[in-house]
Amino acid sequence: MVATARSPIPTERGLRLDIRGLAHAFELKGERLPVLQRLDLSVAPGEMVALLGPSGCGKSTLLRLVAGLEPLQHGELLADGAPIAGPDPSRVVVFQDPTLYPWRTVWDNVALGLQARGLLRQQRGRVDEALAKVGLGEFAQAYPRQLSGGMAQRVALARALVNDPRLLILDEPLGKLDSLTRIAMQGELIRLWQQQGYSGLLVTHDVEEALLLADRVLVFSDRPARVLAELQVARDYPRHRDDPHLVELRRQALELLGLGKDW
């Protein structure tokens, strides 16, 4: 990890997220499939919270609800006290797959959000700033086929940052990267979070990654998901994988996930 101890960024830049009594279900072959079960959780301004849980338990569904990409069925979703009724540039998702348009340059991919909002002509400089933040200024005119997996994910991050989000929603953003690139990108995520001061909601299946990146880690049950436990990570950055505190939290998380005896 290359990040330094967290700098005193004004938390007013980050968005406060409150989730109250949230429940959600899908219709599958005419039957109701419960996915989320009366969830209550919050993210403070400038806080990074990670979600751990079994595959298919509803973590990504929760992120889509927070992003406003799925309609709310039951409960409350509040951003700075106001109901979330749909997508908004203040809440931006970074998915596992960078989903870059192959016929557009890196610069043009990053500019998509501003272009869609009719702001590109007035705010072109923000594209260059976003690329500089992720260290890809020299690759502005490259095409996605010319990028490594880590570089492509940096482009996806720049595409999110160009909107100046107050909540960054991260859905397994490093899941497809090789181990060395993933470690480097973990440091990059921490650096950007410290620099920008946004709030963060991260889904990952990597227990160690959650403990390295987040202020708090919430462990979910199997579907329909509920919060089994909340783990406070009382360490500054950079964090180290062999820190006894993190090793103990990892053991607790794996036990909660039913994997304690296997590790």
Side-chain angles (χ1 to χ4, degrees), residues 72-95:
L72 181 66
Q73 295 179 357
H74 182 84
E76 287 186 297
L77 278 172
L78 305 173
D80 286 339
I84 293 175
D88 188 272
S90 66
R91 293 174 274 110
V92 181
V93 186
V94 178
F95 295 102

Side-chain angles (χ1 to χ4, degrees), residues 139-166:
F139 290 85
Q141 297 309 311
Y143 286 89
R145 65 178 182 276
Q146 298 172 303
L147 306 178
S148 67
M151 292 169 72
Q153 198 59 282
R154 286 172 188 260
V155 176
L157 278 171
R159 186 175 56 194
L161 294 175
V162 77
N163 294 295
D164 196 22
R166 299 183 58 225

